[in-house]
Amino acid sequence: MQGITPGKDDGGELRVIVSRSHAGTVEETAQKAFERRKVVVTPAGGAGYKAIEVVEDKQDVYVHTTIIKKWDICAGDAILRPLGGRQPDLRGSDINYGHNLD
């Protein structure tokens, strides 16, 4: 798995998978962060499914810009970490899955 760094990629297509029901501003956010790349958004259901799409290199990133419960994303994070991937928040910080923490 390769990391994707905003503003440092040299063009080409960026495949972004998003929530089918909560796309929010993902397309605009991704296009702004990766201005030198063409952003192609794919809506899909199931946070775990979206994480697997990234693991299988069918998508480059899974971005969620609206409120989401941590239990919706922890399984995907558990799959990505041993493979060298990350599922950070929008600020790039690791997500804390501890009890009663936002």
Side-chain angles (χ1 to χ4, degrees):
M1 300 183 78
Q2 294 182 332
I4 297 175
T5 304
K8 294 190 178 178
D9 292 296
D10 61 353
E13 188 174 278
L14 178 69
R15 302 165 300 169
V16 179
I17 194 162
V18 302
S19 172
R20 182 174 42 226
S21 56
H22 302 287
T25 60
V26 170
E27 188 166 3
E28 295 83 12
T29 301
Q31 194 61 68
K32 184 176 179 182
F34 300 97
E35 60 191 23
R36 290 182 283 214
R37 299 183 77 174
K38 177 184 177 195
V39 173
V40 177
V41 174
T42 302
Y49 171 77
K50 291 184 278 277
I52 292 296
E53 289 289 285
V54 173
V55 168
E56 292 181 343
D57 199 31
K58 295 177 183 172
Q59 298 290 325
D60 296 309
V61 293
Y62 164 30
V63 178
H64 202 295
T65 59
T66 60
I67 295 172
I68 189 170
K69 299 294 185 186
K70 291 179 185 177
W71 61 73
D72 286 329
I73 58 173
C74 64
D77 198 13
I79 292 167
L80 290 170
R81 285 181 189 224
L83 298 172
R86 290 186 66 231
Q87 189 168 281
D89 64 20
L90 288 173
R91 293 176 296 277
S93 301
D94 287 330
I95 297 169
N96 185 335
Y97 294 100
H99 180 67
N100 290 335
L101 298 172
D102 291 330

